[in-house]
Amino acid sequence: MTGSSGKPKKRQRGEIETLPSGSLRVRVYAGVDALSGKRNYLVETVPAGPKAAAEADKVRRRLVHQVDERRNPRTKATVNQLMDRYLELLDVEETTLDRYEQTIRVHIRPLLGHLPLAKLDGETLDNHQAILRRCRAHCDGRPFVEHAVDGPHECSEKCRPHVCRPLATSTIRKVHFCLSGALARAVRWRWITVNPLDQAEPPRGGRSDPNPPTADQAAAILNAAFPDVMWGCLLWLAMTTGARRGELCAMRWDLLDLDRAVLTIRSSIAQQGTRTWEKDTKTHQQRRIALDNNTVSLLRTYRQECEENAAAVGGALEPGSRLFSADINHPGGRQSRGE
């Protein structure tokens, strides 16, 4: 079919359908859904009225421009689907990934997981954060009994009425961090066009209020620990070096230079359930710590005792042996690079 000029008439993209209510539904094809593989459409409804037809055509042109300029969402995925994909591609330590999975499973999926990403906005996310601030169990004021065990049972004094306790600020910030990372990727993948967290109020910053032991308390702790020399030395190093627990467990004799009074920290011991393994430090960097004379003298005495204990059973301390071990031979872990 041709127009009055004789040129073929360009086919109109999108369709406008009249609904039983008189409203007009505009639908424009937007390609294949990036997640489901199904055809994806942008849909918008225009209320009935004398100018509804003109308004619907304006909406149709706007949606077509969104598709042409690649500003339309590529999928109708839900928050749960985004979180699945986010965790699948996240490149972090195993212990960190476990914490992310727990935060998302407990505090994001139950409240937001069923929502399509396109439905997320600042109000929804602000309300989500308000629920977490009111109660960590997300009860939203509904009374219930916290049972000691799951399944049918005879309630005991351990089964008590629920009392609301707000989620810690640090945990709310973890929830925000998980949402921020996932939604930023969703924008980059064009699953959504705008990050709804930009419209929401960020959680307030946490206030650090450490309460370390006093000098007298620290001395009392060490005096109580030193009947077991290994336990006493471990606590002494924790107090004098500031090393993390996993770093203390990973310390090796070949990384301790008593002549130069230097301790090198290169790795850490991680734990998940009953499984343990050696990994990089939290900052993925090694560091060297200068030791004072008292610490050097204490470690010399401790090493001599370890060597004597091992020799008594026909063993010996290897260069890569751990400083602290329940095994009398102090078996080691991975060897230092270039040693």
Side-chain angles (χ1 to χ4, degrees):
M1 182 176 179
T2 60
S4 56
S5 62
K7 296 181 180 180
K9 185 176 180 180
K10 188 175 181 180
R11 180 182 176 186
Q12 177 175 286
R13 291 171 58 191
E15 58 185 38
I16 300 174
E17 176 186 5
T18 303
L19 301 177
S21 63
S23 300
L24 301 180
R25 180 167 60 196
V26 184
R27 195 168 75 145
V28 173
Y29 175 65
V32 177
D33 190 299
L35 199 63
S36 67
K38 298 179 180 179
R39 294 168 66 88
N40 188 22
Y41 291 89
L42 302 183
V43 180
E44 195 167 318
T45 301
V46 176
K51 298 183 179 180
E55 183 63 27
D57 193 57
K58 287 173 59 177
V59 170
R60 181 192 63 80
R61 292 197 301 270
R62 172 167 56 78
L63 297 181
V64 168
H65 288 158
Q66 285 185 17
V67 174
D68 290 343
E69 295 172 7
R70 300 172 65 87
R71 291 186 290 110
N72 61 292
R74 294 179 57 210
T75 180
K76 295 180 179 178
T78 63
V79 174
N80 271 337
Q81 290 172 306
L82 171 63
M83 291 302 164
D84 290 340
R85 187 63 171 157
Y86 173 64
L87 291 171
E88 179 184 345
L89 300 178
L90 199 58
D91 183 18
V92 293
E93 294 281 355
E94 185 174 347
T95 51
T96 303
L97 179 62
D98 185 61
R99 290 195 295 269
Y100 280 26
E101 288 178 333
Q102 181 181 15
T103 298
I104 291 170
R105 172 173 49 82
V106 175
H107 298 300
I108 295 179
R109 293 189 189 274
L111 299 171
L112 300 175
H114 64 286
L115 293 177
L117 290 174
K119 298 289 186 180
L120 282 185
D121 55 22
E123 181 183 3
T124 302
L125 293 173
D126 282 344
N127 184 58
H128 173 246
Q129 190 181 136
I131 292 173
L132 300 182
R133 288 197 302 267
R134 286 195 296 269
C135 180
R136 62 184 61 196
H138 322 145
C139 73
D140 208 18
R142 296 185 299 271
F144 67 95
V145 175
E146 293 182 339
H147 294 281
V149 296
D150 296 329
H153 65 281
E154 289 289 337
C155 286
S156 65
E157 65 276 3
K158 294 183 179 180
C159 300
R160 301 176 180 177
H162 167 71
V163 177
C164 290
R165 290 185 299 153
L167 197 62
T169 300
S170 59
T171 306
I172 293 178
R173 290 176 63 82
K174 289 178 184 177
V175 173
H176 181 85
F177 186 82
C178 290
L179 284 170
S180 176
L183 290 172
R185 292 199 181 200
V187 173
R188 193 164 69 248
W189 298 334
R190 286 186 42 244
W191 286 22
I192 51 177
T193 57
V194 176
N195 190 335
L197 270 183
D198 295 339
Q199 307 160 3
E201 187 77 19
R204 67 178 185 271
R207 295 182 179 179
S208 179
D209 186 21
N211 185 27
T214 64
D216 290 341
Q217 290 171 335
I221 292 171
L222 289 171
N223 287 336
F226 260 107
D228 182 336
V229 178
M230 182 175 68
W231 180 233
C233 286
L234 186 145
L235 289 180
W236 179 275
L237 282 180
M239 292 183 180
T240 57
T241 66
R244 298 178 176 90
R245 289 173 297 178
E247 294 170 345
L248 290 166
C249 294
M251 287 179 179
R252 302 199 315 262
W253 287 112
D254 59 347
L255 297 179
L256 173 62
D257 190 338
L258 292 175
D259 293 331
R260 297 180 180 177
V262 174
L263 173 64
T264 301
I265 294 179
R266 290 187 176 178
S267 61
S268 179
I269 299 297
Q271 180 175 3
Q272 189 175 43
T274 59
R275 186 170 69 91
T276 60
W277 68 96
E278 189 169 2
K279 67 181 187 69
D280 289 339
T281 63
K282 186 173 182 179
T283 59
H284 302 284
Q285 294 178 338
Q286 71 173 24
R287 64 186 189 278
R288 291 180 173 85
I289 300 175
L291 304 176
D292 61 88
N293 292 334
N294 289 335
T295 301
V296 171
S297 298
L298 178 63
L299 291 176
R300 285 190 189 277
T301 302
Y302 172 57
R303 179 178 175 89
Q304 182 178 352
E305 179 175 310
C306 291
E307 290 174 338
E308 291 173 353
N309 290 339
V313 295
L317 293 184
E318 298 295 333
S321 298
R322 302 284 188 204
L323 263 70
F324 307 110
S325 173
D327 191 303
I328 200 166
N329 288 318
H330 290 233
R334 65 191 186 193
Q335 294 296 314
S336 309
R337 299 188 191 96
E339 296 180 2

